C-alpha cells in the first residue's frame, strides 16, 4: 500500500476526505461530482492520464472511474495508469470505468452488436457485497433475490471478470452488472448510479464514499466559507483588488466573501454591454446600495459590443468576441485604477467544465464563458477565482448562509454573453430592445401567478424570422419570439415546464399587444437532452 502525501490545495483544505473522479468523457461526470459533494465530501475531476504527482497532491480517500463513450475493444482505448491500482485505496468503476478496470486486471470485455442496454432496466443482486447489501427495489418472486431499478447506457459488456473478483449482480441477459474484489476494495457497476433514474444510486455512492472509503461529511457550507475567506486573505494581503461584477448570485457571493476577507480593498466593475435585461443595472445598484454598500463603478460600453457583433451569427463566435471585449474593457479600467494587483471573478466549476478548461483530457467545449480564460493575461494583474471549485447549488447555499435574500439567491441564471445568445443570428439593438420587453412581460406574469419559484429557469428567445399576423384589420409581417421554461434539479437534464394554457394565453396576448414588432409567440417544449436549456 502506498501512503499518499498530505499536500492539499488551500481551496479544498477544509476537508481531509476527498474523492478523485477520473474522467473518461461521460456525459454524467459533472453530475457524479455533484452527487458526491451532496454527501458532504469534496470531489474533483481529473483526466484518465493523471500523473502520480497529481494523485499524491490531491490525496484522495477513494477513486471513481467515470463512464465514457469509448470501447476497450478499440485498438487505442483510454486506460488507467497502472500505479492507480497499487495505491491501496478503494476504486469504483462506473460503466466504461468498470470495463476498463476489468480489462486491465485480466478480465475480458466484448463489444455487443445485440443486447445493448440504453435507458431504464433492472438488475438482480445474486451475491452479498458491502457496496449493495440491504438494497432492494423489488424482490424476484422466483429466486428471492433483490432487484434494483437502474439506468444503463452501454454497448460493451464484461464477459470474464478478473481473478479474485466476484459477480455481485447480473442484468436480464445474465451478464455482469456488478462485480467486486472486497479484499482490495475494488468495485464495478455497469449502470450509472449518479443519475436519478437509478433509484438506489445515491445509496450506492454513499456506501462507497462513506463506508468503503471511510469519508466523513466535512464539505459543509460554514467550512467552505471560512476556508475561502482564509485563502483570499492569504493571497491578497493588503493589495488592491477589482471584481468583475454582474450582479448575479455568483459575483454577489464573491463580493461578500471578498469583503469578509479584505474589507474595503476592492472595487466592483459593472460593464453594461447593451445585452442586459430590462433596467438590470438600476435593479442591481438599488439592491446593493440598500443592503451592502458596495463600491460599484458603472462602465457603459453598449455601442462597442453591438458594433463588434455586427454580421456575427455563430453563437460560439459571439461568445469569443464578447469575452475579448470584456478583457479590453477591464484592461482599460485597471490602467485607470492603478495600483490594482488582483482581478477577481465569480467563475464557478460548471463554467470551467463547459469551457473545456478542467483537468479532464476530454476538452469538449459545450460553450465558451467570457469569464473563463479570457482575463488570465491582463497586464501584470493576478487572477483570483475564489469560488471556481463550487457548483451553482453550493454557491446558492453560501449565499443563503451569508444572508442574501432567497429572492436574489434563486433568481433565474442569466448567461454571461447576455441577450446575444438569446437572439438567434445577428445581434442588433432593435432585437435587444424587443427581447427585453418580451422577457420582462414573461417574468412579471410568472411572478404574478406565483409560478416563478415553481420552475428553474425561464426566458424569451428572439427568432430572426417573420410571420404573417393581423392587427387592427391590417396585415403584419413581423418577428417571432419563443418562450422557454424548464424544470430541473441539477441543470444536467431538464424537462420543459407544463405551464397552464390560460397563463400562456395571457402572456402571449400581452406580448403581441404591448411589444411593437411581434406578430407571433411560440412556446418551446423541448427537454434536455436532446435540446440544451439555452438556445445557443
Amino acid at each position: 500500500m502506498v501512503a499518499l502525501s498530505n499536500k492539499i490545495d488551500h481551496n479544498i483544505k477544509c476537508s481531509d476526505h476527498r474523492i478523485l473522479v477520473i474522467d473518461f468523457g461521460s456525459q454524467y461526470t459533472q453530475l457524479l461530482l455533484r452527487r458526491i459533494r451532496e454527501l458532504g465530501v469534496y470531489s474533483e475531476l481529473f483526466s484518465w492520464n493523471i500523473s502520480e504527482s497529481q494523485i499524491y497532491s490531491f490525496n484522495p480517500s477513494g477513486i471513481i472511474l467515470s463512464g465514457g463513450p469509448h470501447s476497450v475493444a478499440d485498438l487505442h482505448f483510454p486506460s488507467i495508469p497502472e500505479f492507480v491500482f497499487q495505491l491501496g485505496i478503494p476504486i469504483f468503476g462506473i460503466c466504461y470505468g468498470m470495463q476498463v478496470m476489468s480489462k486491465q486486471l485480466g478480465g475480458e470485455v466484448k463489444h455487443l452488436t445485440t443486447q445493448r442496454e440504453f435507458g431504464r432496466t433492472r438488475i438482480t443482486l445474486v451475491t452479498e457485497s458491502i457496496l449493495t447489501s440491504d438494497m432492494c427495489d423489488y424482490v424476484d418472486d422466483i429466486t428471492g433475490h433483490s432487484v434494483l431499478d437502474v439506468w444503463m447506457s452501454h454497448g460493451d459488456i464484461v464477459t470474464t471478470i478478473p481473478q479474485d473478483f466476484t459477480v455481485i449482480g447480473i442484468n436480464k441477459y445474465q451478464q455482469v452488472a456488478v462485480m467486486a474484489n472486497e479484499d482490495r476494495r475494488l468495485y464495478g457497476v455497469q449502470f450509472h448510479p449518479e443519475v436519478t433514474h437509478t433509484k438506489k444510486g445515491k445509496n450506492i455512492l454513499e456506501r462507497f464514499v462513506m463506508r468503503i472509503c471511510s469519508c466523513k461529511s466535512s464539505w459543509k457550507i460554514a467550512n467552505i466559507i471560512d476556508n475561502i475567506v482564509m485563502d483570499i486573505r492569504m493571497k491578497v494581503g493588503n493589495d488592491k483588488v477589482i471584481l468583475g461584477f454582474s450582479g448575479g448570485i455568483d459575483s454577489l457571493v464573491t463580493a461578500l466573501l471578498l469583503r469578509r476577507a479584505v474589507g474595503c480593498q476592492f472595487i466592483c466593475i459593472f460593464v453594461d454591454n447593451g445585452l442586459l435585461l430590462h433596467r438590470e443595472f438600476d435593479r442591481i445598484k438599488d439592491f446593493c446600495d440598500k443592503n451592502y454598500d458596495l463600491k460599484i463603478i458603472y462602465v457603459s460600453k453598449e455601442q462597442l459590443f453591438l458594433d463588434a457583433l455586427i454580421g456575427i451569427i455563430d453563437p460560439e463566435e459571439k461568445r469569443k468576441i464578447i469575452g475579448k471585449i470584456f478583457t479590453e474593457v477591464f484592461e482599460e479600467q485597471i490602467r485607470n485604477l492603478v495600483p490594482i494587483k488582483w482581478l477577481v471573478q465569480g467563475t464557478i466549476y460548471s463554467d470551467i467544465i463547459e469551457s473545456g478548461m478542467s483537468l479532464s483530457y476530454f476538452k469538449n467545449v459545450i460553450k465558451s464563458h467570457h469569464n473563463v480564460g479570457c482575463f488570465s493575461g491582463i497586464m501584470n494583474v493576478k487572477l483570483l477565482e475564489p469560488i471556481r471549485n463550487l457548483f451553482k447549488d453550493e454557491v446558492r447555499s453560501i449565499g443563503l448562509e451569508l444572508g442574501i435574500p432567497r429572492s436574489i439567491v434563486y433568481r433565474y441564471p442569466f448567461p454571461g454573453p447576455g441577450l446575444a445568445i438569446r437572439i438567434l443570428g445577428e445581434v442588433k439593438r432593435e432585437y435587444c430592445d424587443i427581447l427585453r420587453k418580451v422577457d420582462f412581460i414573461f417574468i412579471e406574469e410568472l411572478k404574478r401567478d406565483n409560478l416563478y419559484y415553481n420552475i428553474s429557469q425561464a426566458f424569451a428567445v428572439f427568432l430572426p424570422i417573420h410571420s404573417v399576423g393581423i392587427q387592427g384589420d391590417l396585415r403584419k409581417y413581423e418577428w417571432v419570439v419563443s418562450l422557454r421554461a424548464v424544470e430541473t434539479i441539477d441543470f444536467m437534464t431538464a424537462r420543459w415546464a407544463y405551464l397552464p394554457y390560460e397563463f400562456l394565453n395571457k402572456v402571449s396576448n400581452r406580448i403581441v399587444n404591448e411589444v411593437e414588432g411581434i406578430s407571433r409567440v411560440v412556446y418551446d417544449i423541448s427537454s434536455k437532452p436532446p435540446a440544451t436549456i439555452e438556445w445557443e
Side-chain angles (χ1 to χ4, degrees):
M1 179 174 177
V2 179
L4 301 186
S5 77
N6 291 317
K7 182 181 178 183
I8 303 171
D9 187 302
H10 285 300
N11 285 327
I12 57 173
K13 66 183 178 182
C14 59
S15 172
D16 291 329
H17 303 275
R18 58 188 62 81
I19 298 295
L20 185 153
V21 175
I22 294 182
D23 181 32
F24 289 98
S26 170
Q27 61 180 314
Y28 303 123
T29 301
Q30 186 178 158
L31 183 56
L32 179 58
L33 294 178
R34 293 168 63 93
R35 292 288 179 260
I36 298 166
R37 293 191 187 187
E38 286 169 1
L39 297 172
V41 178
Y42 185 76
S43 180
E44 200 167 316
L45 178 69
F46 286 78
S47 167
W48 60 270
N49 58 353
I50 186 171
S51 68
E52 288 192 63
S53 62
Q54 286 175 310
I55 289 237
Y56 288 130
S57 178
F58 190 74
N59 193 25
S61 305
I63 293 175
I64 296 180
L65 312 174
S66 85
H70 309 278
S71 170
V72 298
D74 294 340
L75 183 61
H76 301 291
F77 62 90
S79 60
I80 307 163
E82 291 297 332
F83 70 84
V84 170
F85 293 113
Q86 308 306 317
L87 296 173
I89 61 176
I91 301 175
F92 182 27
I94 295 174
C95 197
Y96 180 85
M98 181 181 90
Q99 296 161 11
V100 73
M101 175 196 290
S102 181
K103 178 76 171 180
Q104 290 186 231
L105 293 179
E108 295 181 5
V109 178
K110 178 184 178 182
H111 183 66
L112 299 171
T113 55
T114 60
Q115 299 182 343
R116 294 179 295 179
E117 295 177 293
F118 297 95
R120 288 186 178 89
T121 188
R122 291 178 177 178
I123 66 164
T124 302
L125 301 177
V126 295
T127 309
E128 281 292 311
S129 169
I130 297 174
L131 186 68
T132 55
S133 64
D134 303 321
M135 293 185 193
C136 181
D137 290 320
Y138 311 94
V139 174
D140 188 298
D141 293 335
I142 299 175
T143 65
H145 290 311
S146 295
V147 178
L148 300 180
D149 280 331
V150 299
W151 181 266
M152 294 278 197
S153 181
H154 68 99
D156 288 2
I157 197 72
V158 174
T159 55
T160 303
I161 59 175
Q163 186 176 359
D164 298 325
F165 275 72
T166 301
V167 175
I168 305 300
I170 58 175
N171 66 7
K172 62 184 177 182
Y173 303 114
Q174 307 299 304
Q175 298 163 333
V176 181
V178 186
M179 67 178 196
N181 181 327
E182 303 281 8
D183 292 336
R184 294 181 63 185
R185 296 182 296 174
L186 304 179
Y187 302 87
V189 296
Q190 186 57 72
F191 55 89
H192 286 272
E194 67 271 33
V195 302
T196 55
H197 305 299
T198 298
K199 292 182 179 179
K200 293 293 189 294
K202 185 175 181 179
N203 304 84
I204 292 170
L205 288 171
E206 183 176 19
R207 184 70 58 83
F208 176 76
V209 171
M210 311 304 282
R211 181 170 173 182
I212 296 171
C213 297
S214 301
C215 289
K216 304 299 181 185
S217 182
S218 56
W219 181 248
K220 297 180 178 179
I221 296 304
N223 294 343
I224 295 170
I225 291 173
D226 289 344
N227 282 273
I228 290 176
V229 168
M230 185 189 308
D231 185 56
I232 294 172
R233 197 171 287 151
M234 288 175 59
K235 288 178 177 175
V236 171
N238 296 318
D239 294 340
K240 298 296 182 183
V241 176
I242 64 170
L243 167 65
F245 188 72
S246 69
I249 187 60
D250 300 335
S251 65
L252 181 55
V253 163
T254 303
L256 298 188
L257 291 172
L258 265 176
R259 191 170 68 176
R260 183 173 289 197
V262 298
C264 299
Q265 292 169 219
F266 73 100
I267 299 170
C268 299
I269 305 292
F270 182 98
V271 179
D272 184 352
N273 58 6
L275 304 168
L276 304 177
L277 295 174
H278 179 66
R279 292 177 52 87
E280 184 71 354
F281 177 72
D282 293 337
R283 180 195 67 81
I284 292 166
K285 189 176 186 307
D286 290 346
F287 172 77
C288 290
D289 286 348
K290 290 176 182 177
N291 295 277
Y292 302 114
D293 193 29
L294 296 174
K295 184 176 181 181
I296 304 174
I297 295 178
Y298 173 77
V299 181
S300 178
K301 295 291 181 180
E302 179 179 12
Q303 198 60 51
L304 179 64
F305 280 88
L306 293 178
D307 286 348
L309 292 170
I310 293 174
I312 306 300
I313 61 174
D314 179 75
E316 191 61 18
E317 192 174 354
K318 291 182 196 175
R319 291 175 182 273
K320 289 178 178 177
I321 288 171
I322 291 168
K324 181 176 181 293
I325 298 175
F326 264 115
T327 302
E328 293 169 354
V329 171
F330 273 90
E331 283 180 334
E332 179 184 14
Q333 292 301 310
I334 290 168
R335 283 194 296 269
N336 295 335
L337 294 168
V338 290
I340 296 295
K341 296 292 183 67
W342 293 89
L343 171 59
V344 182
Q345 297 182 117
T347 309
I348 63 174
Y349 203 27
S350 54
D351 297 340
I352 301 293
I353 293 173
E354 288 179 345
S355 295
M357 298 288 286
S358 72
L359 288 176
S360 169
Y361 177 82
F362 301 101
K363 290 179 170 52
N364 179 22
V365 178
I366 300 170
K367 54 187 177 183
S368 297
H369 288 261
H370 74 277
N371 60 335
V372 178
C374 295
F375 298 154
S376 58
I378 291 183
M379 301 169 65
N380 296 317
V381 175
K382 299 176 184 177
L383 181 64
L384 181 61
E385 298 172 314
I387 60 173
R388 66 176 283 130
N389 288 326
L390 305 180
F391 286 110
K392 178 70 78 175
D393 56 335
E394 295 169 321
V395 175
R396 283 175 165 161
S397 296
I398 289 177
L400 294 174
E401 186 77 12
L402 294 174
I404 301 174
R406 293 186 69 88
S407 60
I408 301 298
V409 169
Y410 288 99
R411 190 169 183 253
Y412 295 154
F414 187 65
L419 300 181
I421 60 165
R422 292 180 178 175
I423 295 172
L424 272 60
E426 185 179 6
V427 177
K428 295 182 179 181
R429 187 191 302 273
E430 170 200 349
Y431 303 164
C432 292
D433 290 341
I434 289 173
L435 190 55
R436 270 188 275 269
K437 294 174 184 176
V438 171
D439 191 88
F440 179 80
I441 291 170
F442 187 24
I443 300 303
E444 184 177 60
E445 291 298 336
L446 284 168
K447 291 178 178 178
R448 282 180 178 173
D449 282 26
N450 296 317
L451 294 169
Y452 186 89
Y453 295 108
N454 294 339
I455 55 182
S456 309
Q457 172 76 307
F459 54 90
V461 179
F462 180 90
L463 307 183
I465 55 175
H466 287 91
S467 175
V468 174
I470 301 173
Q471 290 181 332
D473 295 326
L474 294 176
R475 179 185 186 274
K476 296 287 186 178
Y477 193 55
E478 296 180 319
W479 301 112
V480 180
V481 291
S482 174
L483 306 180
R484 175 76 158 146
V486 298
E487 298 172 358
T488 179
I489 296 173
D490 48 42
F491 285 88
M492 296 300 295
T493 60
R495 188 193 76 171
W496 62 275
Y498 300 166
L499 295 176
Y501 290 151
E502 295 82 1
F503 171 82
L504 293 172
N505 180 62
K506 177 172 59 174
V507 173
S508 177
N509 282 339
R510 277 198 63 189
I511 290 171
V512 296
N513 282 294
E514 297 178 28
V515 183
E516 186 71 27
I518 299 296
S519 65
R520 192 175 299 270
V521 179
V522 299
Y523 186 54
D524 181 353
I525 59 169
S526 307
S527 293
K528 176 185 179 181
T532 54
I533 294 175
E534 295 283 352
W535 277 45
E536 289 194 339

